[in-house]
Structure formats: C-alpha cells, structure tokens
Amino acid sequence: LQGGNQLRLRGRKGIREDIERQKDLVILNARDYKGKWQQVFGNDNPIYAELGMGKGRFISEMSKRYPDINFIGVDMYDELIRKSSEKAKLAHEMEADSEEGIPNLRLVLFNIEHIEEAFDQGELERIFLNFSDPWPKKKHARRRLTHRGFVEKYIHILNQQGEIHLKTDSQSLFEFSLNSFADMNLRMRNISLNLHADGIHPDHVMTEYEMKFAGQGMNIHRCEVVIGQQVQEAHEINLKKQQS
Ligand SMILES: C[S@@+](CC[C@H](N)C(=O)[O-])C[C@H]1O[C@@H](n2cnc3c(N)ncnc32)[C@H](O)[C@@H]1O
C-alpha cells in the first residue's frame, strides 16, 4: 500500500477500535438485542430513537435533559458513532476518554433499511427523523426515510402510544412525507412550515443540521405523526394477510 492509503486504513481501523471499546455506550450488533432493549436499559421507561443521528447533538442533549426516557441514536457510519459518543460524553459531563456508559443512551451502528431486524414489534415509543437525506431525484424516492416502505416498518416497531416526529429544511421531502403519511391514513398534528418563526423555544433541542440551516435563515418544517392502536391493529392484520 502507498503511504496515503495505509494511513487512511489505519485511521478507519482506529475509529473501529475506539467504538468497539465503548461497550456500554456503543452497540455494533443490534440484531442480537431485538426484543431485548428493555433489558439493555434495565428498566421499562419508553424508548425514543433518532434514525440517522449524524454527529449526535440532538440525542446527546435529549438524553441529558430527559433521564426517564431511554434514547437510541442510529447511524450507519463508524465515524459518526464516534463523533456522537464524544458529544454524548461532553453533554453528560464525562471525560472524553471515559469507557463508562450513559444509563439512558445507546449509540447503534445500523442501516435503517433493515430496522425491523434490530427492533421487535412495539419496542419503540417514538421515532425522530431529523433532517433525513431528501433524495430529490424521483428514481430515489424509495430511499427517503418517509417512504411507505419505511413507514410500515416504523408502525410495526412502535408501540400503541407511538409517534414519529419529523423535522427537515427540505420542502420537497416535507411535501413527500405529508403525502406519504396521508396516503397511509395516519393522523398528523403540530404541522409547521416555519418552526422557529417566533424565535427558538428554550425547550427545543436543535440538531447539527438545524443549527446550520436555521442560522442561514432557512425555514424548518416539522410535523408529528400519531400512530395509535387502530392503525397498529389494521397494520398487523394487513401484514398477516400478506404473509399468508
Ligand atoms: C443529513 S444527516 C442529519 C443528521 C442529524 N439528524 C442532524 O439533523 O443533524 C442524515 C444522517 O442520516 C444517516 N443515514 C442516512 N441513511 C441511513 C441509513 N440507511 N441507515 C443509517 N443511517 C442513515 C446519515 O449517515 C447521516 O448521518
């Protein structure tokens, strides 16, 4: 290998070793925990997950602010898991090189496309989709995290109080998402086309992307989807029909 490549490889290996050491905070084998997330946290508090947490500002702050809720941040890149772990330790006032865990937070390396392999039916109470990649080309619509194919998986892994909270700067992703939810007869509430129109509310936890886009004066769109028992039951009946 040429010097540059060798360095890059060593760099990647270093990141992997770093996150592997953090056994109480980082989970690299999420499939093994399917159906066992309550045991992971050792309590039956609700579990909220951010799918595509990026550098982890939101999940770190939320876990600090709400100790009686369990948080899971999911992303598919080692480097982002490492960055998120640094941020989480900072938010929880821990030493940067600490290998100690945070009781109500786990950072999970996983591809959201297979999310139903990491979580069992009803294991989550809330899913946050913050500034998900908009995939603007029509031929990539299926990759959008609010495409029906994904939302069906979310309905399955959410419990009967389940909600999906979406924030995005992308008008096209927002339109697509509202249509996707509406086509599935899901109830939406607190829809906003300009979340920070009256300034940033002190209780509102910003993500990295949100800080950047709101700082540039862009409008942030937000909506909540309420799943509920009826939707869930209809969904499970449909699922069984498809399987038989
Ligand atoms: C645009 S960033 C937003 C990050 C963060 N939520 C924020 O608001 O600052 C989208 C994130 O989703 C992650 N992501 C996209 N598709 C994913 C997938 N299929 N599985 C896991 N993570 C994914 C990306 O790696 C990236 O970190």
Side-chain angles (χ1 to χ4, degrees), residues 12 24 37 47 64 74 94 96 108 114-118 130 138 141 150 156 160 191 198 215 221:
R12 259 205 297 273
D24 292 332
W37 289 98
I47 303 177
K64 173 73 179 169
V74 180
M94 293 160 64
V108 171
H114 310 294
I115 199 70
E116 76 287 2
E117 295 173 22
N130 291 327
K138 206 170 172 192
F150 281 102
H156 182 69
Q160 291 186 353
I191 298 174
D198 302 323
H221 314 305

Side-chain angles (χ1 to χ4, degrees), residues 112-163:
I112 301 159
E113 282 172 26
H114 310 294
I115 199 70
E116 76 287 2
E117 295 173 22
F119 297 102
D120 213 346
Q121 184 176 357
E123 275 201 301
L124 299 180
E125 186 151 318
R126 191 169 298 176
I127 287 175
F128 294 103
L129 298 174
N130 291 327
F131 300 84
S132 308
D133 299 318
W135 292 107
K137 287 191 186 142
K138 206 170 172 192
K139 65 174 182 189
H140 293 144
R142 283 176 172 278
R143 299 186 189 175
R144 300 174 193 150
L145 292 187
T146 50
H147 187 276
R148 188 187 189 106
F150 281 102
V151 179
E152 278 174 352
K153 293 181 180 188
Y154 306 154
I155 294 173
H156 182 69
I157 61 177
L158 282 165
N159 66 23
Q160 291 186 353
Q161 289 79 49
E163 296 184 8

Side-chain angles (χ1 to χ4, degrees), residues 50-58 74-77 80 108 110-114 128-135 143 145 150 167 206-211 213:
E50 184 185 12
L51 303 185
M53 71 176 156
K55 294 180 185 168
R57 182 181 197 276
F58 178 81
V74 180
D75 213 289
M76 61 180 171
Y77 295 112
L80 292 173
V108 171
F110 205 71
N111 189 330
I112 301 159
E113 282 172 26
H114 310 294
F128 294 103
L129 298 174
N130 291 327
F131 300 84
S132 308
D133 299 318
W135 292 107
R143 299 186 189 175
L145 292 187
F150 281 102
K167 276 195 280 190
M206 307 261 273
T207 79
E208 267 97 3
Y209 271 71
E210 189 171 6
M211 291 183 69
F213 293 132

Side-chain angles (χ1 to χ4, degrees), residues 34 116 119-123 151-160 184 186 227-244:
K34 179 172 175 172
E116 76 287 2
F119 297 102
D120 213 346
Q121 184 176 357
E123 275 201 301
V151 179
E152 278 174 352
K153 293 181 180 188
Y154 306 154
I155 294 173
H156 182 69
I157 61 177
L158 282 165
N159 66 23
Q160 291 186 353
M184 296 177 75
L186 298 177
I227 302 298
Q229 192 174 346
Q230 256 180 339
V231 167
Q232 204 124 42
E233 283 169 2
H235 174 79
E236 294 307 323
I237 291 169
N238 257 343
L239 210 65
K240 286 204 181 92
K241 262 193 215 148
Q242 282 167 22
Q243 283 162 359
S244 63

Side-chain angles (χ1 to χ4, degrees), residues 9 14 22 27 29 39 47 57 90 92 94-95 102 105 109 121 133 141 159 161 185 207 223 235:
L9 280 182
Q22 308 190 51
I27 292 190
N29 52 335
Q39 283 160 254
I47 303 177
R57 182 181 197 276
L90 201 65
H92 287 261
M94 293 160 64
E95 298 291 331
I102 296 169
L105 177 64
L109 181 78
Q121 184 176 357
D133 299 318
N159 66 23
Q161 289 79 49
N185 291 323
T207 79
C223 108
H235 174 79

